[in-house]
Amino acid sequence: MARSASDNRRQPGTEKDGAAGGTTSHFIRQIIEEDLRSGKHEGRVVTRFPPEPNGYLHIGHAKSICLNFGLAADYGGICNLRFDDTNPAKEDPEYVAAIQEDVRWLGYDWGDRLFFASDYFEKLYHYAEELIRAGKAYVCSLSSEQIREMRGTLTEPGVESPYRNRPVAENLDLFRRMRAGEFEDGAHVLRAKIDMAAPNLLMRDPTLYRIRHLRHHRTGDRWCIYPMYDFTHCLSDAIEGVTHSLCTLEFENNRPLYDWVLDNLPVDCHPQQIEFARLNLSYTVLSKRRLIQLVEGGHVSGWDDPRMPTISGMRRRGYTPEAIRTFCDRIGVARRDSTVDFALLEHCLREDLNRRAPRRMAVLRPLKVVIENYPEDGAEMLEAINNPEDPAMGTRRVPFSRELYIERDDFMEDPPRKFFRLAPGREVRLRYAYFITCTGVVKDENSGEITELRCTYDPATRGGDAPDGRKVKATLHWVSARHSLAAEVRLYDHLFAAETPGADHPQGDFMADLNPRSLEVLTDCRLEPDLGRFAPGEGCQFERLGYFCADPVDSREGQPVFNRTVTLRDTWARIRRQKGRK
Ligand code: ATP
Ligand code: MG
């Protein structure tokens, strides 16, 4: 039964957090809505996300995940998770597990529809025999180089293989013996018999099966022939009853082959392949082939290094699934390749964190402050607001005492005119605490470096306001020295220094653009004590500094490590204005 599109468009909860397929209309929605109107697939919407388990998922995959799962949810359909695991040389169960974790973390559920192309190997094999019997496939015994040479070019037709007209019985016999393991790798391939003069090179008798004596992570040694992508993908879609098979633009040329295979075999379902532009993001690379080089070359600590554009890296960095889903909705879906500015991703992240992240105080580069008129052993608890954006998040109590730390760059001994923070003789506010005035500076005799500030406080300003109405020009964050927690904090910048890594180097050498300053480790930071109970991965805003989260890998009991998720300064509005003007 056909459901009308608008019935299912906005499910409860999807609008608020940008979940599901988002709210932006685009050409794929139009195709689906038209199909629902015309009853093309009996009103069904079935999509799939088909990763190859040869690496971890990146933010580009998130676009495809949000699109496939989101559209299914929005139109009352289903979305399968299918591993496209036909190349045992590059695949690994570690990737299979990581991919499932990432899709689930992004907020999507494939129910009981976890599939593997390798589960279809037997069916695919029978389809291949069927093509042979119909005279539409043949065993070719040319080497792969010969096949390549004889394929022709865009301007010249290819040359037919001398094996093209092998009788059906001989083809069947050879193909069965290929399966039985009688031949070495490369001795034969199975090719579709289409047209060596086709303008589309992919239609010039493409290879469907090749011999690979390799152990597969799921089928073990059962197979030594493996089907090619173009044969596997369309048939897997058809077997699963997929209606809309969404893929990226580079597969546009494969569409005639996708359709040819399905048109020439007795399948019940002929899904429609629809291409959309892949996500490219500035200052990073989105390709597993390149990301694996970063991992294997030791340029990052692993697939989940917080600088990586992988879902696992972004999770470790403190990104939220909501922010990523909102981003995927905002970038939209089009048929033209473009590069999205990293600043938009960070903008979506800040928007989400600003609403939800609790505020805490931390000092990254500590400078000691002694409040001379505060009792030696005194201490008190002061009330601090957890999130000014959300009163429901309440307040907490922060310890204050005679010795504090403030940020080193919040003080200047000889300040220029526009510096309004602490300086000798000047009064500032300590957030949620008191007004303090700097009365002296203590320096290291040898180096001349400032080691301590001497200050006085005004007890009448408790909570941060002066009863006599006097104003100060700055409010600083701080922590109590003796109550604070020592911590390591890692500051991250773009992994690449160039907007399009490799663009200005010979052979597009993207490694040449690695940003040598993408990681700064601060080992002497001081946190307000409450941060000690933060669970791995839990995040907050360090007031005035940015959003941070407890590193789930390297944090130890009593020795927290925090990652900077993103700074507070949003550059997106400025970039958008500049682009608008161009
Ligand atoms: P990579 O180039 O990173 O290896 P891939 O396309 O080989 O990517 P797959 O595992 O085959 O990786 O991808 C699974 C799905 O994700 C495919 O449908 C693919 O089209 C889609 N996808 C991959 N990269 C992007 C991207 N940058 N933007 C949008 N979709 C993508
Ligand atoms: Mg691929």
Side-chain angles (χ1 to χ4, degrees), residues 400-418:
F400 183 88
S401 65
R402 180 182 156 92
E403 296 198 350
L404 311 169
Y405 290 116
I406 65 165
E407 212 66 63
R408 202 158 262 282
D409 65 6
D410 277 339
F411 175 82
M412 283 184 90
E413 193 175 17
D414 189 13
R417 259 192 43 212
K418 292 224 164 133

Side-chain angles (χ1 to χ4, degrees), residues 371-425:
I371 313 285
E372 293 185 312
N373 58 339
Y374 198 85
E376 287 275 350
D377 301 317
E380 63 189 302
M381 298 300 281
L382 297 168
E383 189 167 53
I385 293 170
N386 281 333
N387 186 349
E389 300 289 319
D390 182 4
M393 288 176 74
T395 59
R396 70 186 184 286
R397 285 152 56 85
V398 186
F400 183 88
S401 65
R402 180 182 156 92
E403 296 198 350
L404 311 169
Y405 290 116
I406 65 165
E407 212 66 63
R408 202 158 262 282
D409 65 6
D410 277 339
F411 175 82
M412 283 184 90
E413 193 175 17
D414 189 13
R417 259 192 43 212
K418 292 224 164 133
F419 185 88
F420 298 116
R421 291 166 276 166
L422 198 57

Side-chain angles (χ1 to χ4, degrees), residues 332-404:
V333 180
R335 275 190 55 87
R336 202 167 52 97
D337 269 316
S338 66
T339 298
V340 175
D341 213 294
F342 207 99
L344 174 60
L345 176 60
E346 295 193 330
H347 172 77
C348 296
L349 179 61
R350 284 187 193 97
E351 230 176 38
D352 185 42
L353 294 176
N354 180 44
R355 261 190 297 128
R356 302 194 301 152
R359 275 50 170 176
R360 292 293 182 269
M361 289 197 284
V363 174
L364 299 188
R365 296 172 180 88
L367 173 60
K368 185 177 259 184
V369 170
V370 178
I371 313 285
E372 293 185 312
N373 58 339
Y374 198 85
E376 287 275 350
D377 301 317
E380 63 189 302
M381 298 300 281
L382 297 168
E383 189 167 53
I385 293 170
N386 281 333
N387 186 349
E389 300 289 319
D390 182 4
M393 288 176 74
T395 59
R396 70 186 184 286
R397 285 152 56 85
V398 186
F400 183 88
S401 65
R402 180 182 156 92
E403 296 198 350
L404 311 169

Side-chain angles (χ1 to χ4, degrees), residues 53 83 90-100 216-218:
F83 285 97
K90 291 188 174 167
E91 296 162 7
D92 194 309
E94 175 194 341
Y95 300 140
V96 173
I99 288 171
Q100 292 181 62
H216 186 279
H217 63 102
R218 299 194 82 238

Side-chain angles (χ1 to χ4, degrees), residues 52 54 84 229 251 288:
E52 183 180 359
N54 60 354
D84 181 17
Y229 169 86
F251 290 98
K288 283 181 284 186

Side-chain angles (χ1 to χ4, degrees), residues 220-239:
D221 294 320
R222 227 173 307 147
W223 294 91
C224 62
I225 54 171
Y226 290 97
M228 303 297 288
Y229 169 86
D230 285 310
F231 187 64
T232 312
H233 202 80
C234 53
L235 285 169
S236 303
D237 281 347
I239 290 167

Side-chain angles (χ1 to χ4, degrees), residues 48-54 57-61 63-64 68 84 233 246-248 250-251 276-280 286-289 291:
R48 84 287 171 265
F49 174 63
E52 183 180 359
N54 60 354
L57 298 181
H58 52 63
I59 179 84
H61 293 111
K63 174 176 179 176
S64 174
N68 279 293
D84 181 17
H233 202 80
L246 314 182
C247 64
T248 36
E250 66 270 23
F251 290 98
F276 64 94
R278 66 191 292 113
L279 168 65
N280 300 301
L286 296 185
S287 135
K288 283 181 284 186
R289 193 175 49 78
L291 295 175

